[in-house]
Amino acid sequence: MSDDTPLRGPAIRGIPEGDNRERMICADCGYILYDNPKIVVGSVARWGERILLCRRSIEPRHGFWTLPAGYLELNESASAGAEREAWEEAHARIEIEGLLAIYDIPRISQVQLIYRARLLDERVAAGPESLEVRLFDWHEIPWADLAFPSNRWALQHDREAQASRDFTARINPPGF
Amino acid sequence: MSDDTPLRGPAIRGIPEGDNRERMICADCGYILYDNPKIVVGSVARWGERILLCRRSIEPRHGFWTLPAGYLELNESASAGAEREAWEEAHARIEIEGLLAIYDIPRISQVQLIYRARLLDERVAAGPESLEVRLFDWHEIPWADLAFPSNRWALQHDREAQASRDFTARINPPGF
């Protein structure tokens, strides 16, 4: 970074008084950013045997297929967030059945809460963050073109939960 | 707030370009705070039939009993965070068995992930945020002196999960 590039906002590392971890602090005003991991909420939404996927119109992973999911907002319950994301990305009305899985991605400080859900209406349509949306039979799922490893985990965990009727919340596969 | 009180850090409300929600913005430098709900991680940790509780030495709810729990930190997995909190608050070594419950507290933008766990060692001792720590038999639990409603939910959900061997992740009781 060159000398004439200003550091905007909390850009200096330091341990605040009474704390035991480094936080980001603003050099201009002393504001301390207590940053914490972010929560992603999403769903495996089924219409009969078919599953809703969205092809991303945004980075990262533009053009790849994903489950409808996104950041939980302030003052929003996690299941309401998963319903909102299905609506925003696929104009899909869904009903949450229960928690399918919790995936930890500590490398990027993300906790994903993925719900089992059913579509209340077969009609879906791409929202602004999707190029297209579609219901896939299991044998049609574009495994090689999924956006994120956790998409694959969730699809397989949902399949397994539906077959076994064991709805214990799943976690990351071993080694991930 | 009087005119000579400076607004430090992101203190002005506004909708950034390309966004659709109000965020807090710093008047000094334009920094935009994308604030999101925080994740609390904790555990119901058992030694045989007895359950670990900690009496809080900090506000809120100073002097009341709670399960060991606290904010998940950056680059930490949720289960590792629950283990760390048990250690920090009660010098308790625990082994996570699985996710007991996910409680949404949207009013305060909090998602709580509470794990089933067992103590690896009966010896526990108060950490800096606890006045005392203790293992309670079920009939000894100080229900009237629990710090938070979700403490009660988690204790009852764990009891019920142990009895039924149904480990489906629990959620907030109806109406909460």
Side-chain angles (χ1 to χ4, degrees):
Chain A
M1 190 174 277
S2 71
D3 280 345
D4 57 352
T5 308
L7 291 166
R8 315 304 296 269
I12 310 292
R13 288 174 187 283
I15 300 176
E17 205 182 313
D19 200 346
N20 58 7
R21 282 175 189 261
E22 268 196 349
R23 311 289 175 180
M24 299 308 285
I25 301 171
C26 180
D28 291 334
C29 70
Y31 172 78
I32 301 164
L33 177 62
Y34 286 95
D35 202 8
N36 289 88
K38 289 199 175 15
I39 303 168
V40 166
V41 288
S43 59
V44 178
R46 277 169 273 93
W47 177 261
E49 295 283 300
R50 287 184 296 157
I51 294 170
L52 174 63
L53 292 175
C54 311
R55 202 152 75 86
R56 292 170 65 84
S57 71
I58 54 171
E59 293 296 346
R61 305 293 277 159
H62 181 282
F64 287 79
W65 291 91
T66 188
L67 296 167
Y71 288 119
L72 185 63
E73 293 283 357
L74 292 177
N75 301 124
E76 184 177 58
S77 75
S79 56
E83 290 172 354
R84 175 183 52 73
E85 289 291 342
W87 178 256
E88 287 182 1
E89 299 191 354
H91 293 163
R93 294 194 309 116
I94 67 169
E95 183 178 85
I96 301 288
E97 294 171 333
L99 186 68
L100 171 65
I102 164 174
Y103 302 127
D104 275 307
I105 327 275
R107 183 179 56 83
I108 54 171
S109 292
Q110 207 176 78
V111 174
Q112 301 187 353
L113 303 174
I114 309 298
Y115 288 87
R116 293 176 282 111
R118 64 185 193 90
L119 285 158
L120 296 173
D121 189 330
E122 188 179 7
R123 286 167 302 177
V124 293
E129 297 185 1
S130 304
L131 295 168
E132 57 177 317
V133 296
R134 222 187 104 182
L135 299 174
F136 287 89
D137 275 320
W138 183 256
H139 69 273
E140 298 173 322
I141 290 173
W143 297 103
D145 293 322
L146 293 179
F148 307 110
S150 58
N151 297 149
R152 194 178 64 242
W153 305 343
L155 288 165
Q156 288 171 340
H157 281 155
D158 185 67
R159 176 88 166 173
E160 172 198 305
Q162 294 300 321
S164 66
R165 312 309 287 172
D166 168 8
F167 297 120
T168 310
R170 271 64 176 175
I171 58 171
N172 304 32
F176 286 93
Chain B
M1 189 175 281
S2 72
D3 281 344
D4 58 354
T5 308
L7 292 167
R8 313 307 296 269
I12 310 293
R13 287 175 187 281
I15 300 177
E17 206 183 313
D19 200 346
N20 57 10
R21 285 175 187 260
E22 267 194 351
R23 312 287 175 180
M24 299 308 286
I25 301 171
C26 180
D28 291 334
C29 70
Y31 173 77
I32 302 164
L33 177 63
Y34 286 94
D35 202 10
N36 289 89
K38 287 197 175 19
I39 304 168
V40 166
V41 287
S43 59
V44 178
R46 277 169 274 95
W47 177 261
E49 294 282 299
R50 289 184 295 157
I51 293 168
L52 173 64
L53 292 175
C54 311
R55 202 152 77 84
R56 292 170 66 83
S57 71
I58 54 170
E59 294 295 348
R61 304 293 277 158
H62 181 280
F64 287 80
W65 291 91
T66 188
L67 296 167
Y71 289 119
L72 184 63
E73 293 283 358
L74 292 177
N75 302 122
E76 185 177 56
S77 76
S79 56
E83 289 172 353
R84 175 183 52 74
E85 289 291 341
W87 178 255
E88 286 182 1
E89 299 190 356
H91 292 166
R93 294 195 308 118
I94 66 171
E95 181 178 87
I96 301 290
E97 295 172 333
L99 185 68
L100 172 65
I102 164 173
Y103 302 127
D104 275 307
I105 327 276
R107 184 179 57 81
I108 54 170
S109 293
Q110 207 176 78
V111 174
Q112 300 187 355
L113 303 175
I114 309 298
Y115 288 86
R116 293 176 281 109
R118 65 186 192 88
L119 285 157
L120 295 174
D121 189 331
E122 189 179 6
R123 288 167 301 177
V124 294
E129 298 185 1
S130 304
L131 295 168
E132 57 177 316
V133 296
R134 222 188 103 184
L135 298 174
F136 287 90
D137 275 320
W138 183 256
H139 69 272
E140 299 173 321
I141 289 173
W143 298 103
D145 293 322
L146 293 179
F148 307 109
S150 58
N151 298 150
R152 195 177 65 244
W153 307 344
L155 288 165
Q156 289 171 339
H157 281 155
D158 185 66
R159 177 88 166 170
E160 175 197 304
Q162 295 300 322
S164 67
R165 311 309 288 172
D166 168 8
F167 297 119
T168 309
R170 273 63 177 174
I171 58 172
N172 302 33
F176 285 94

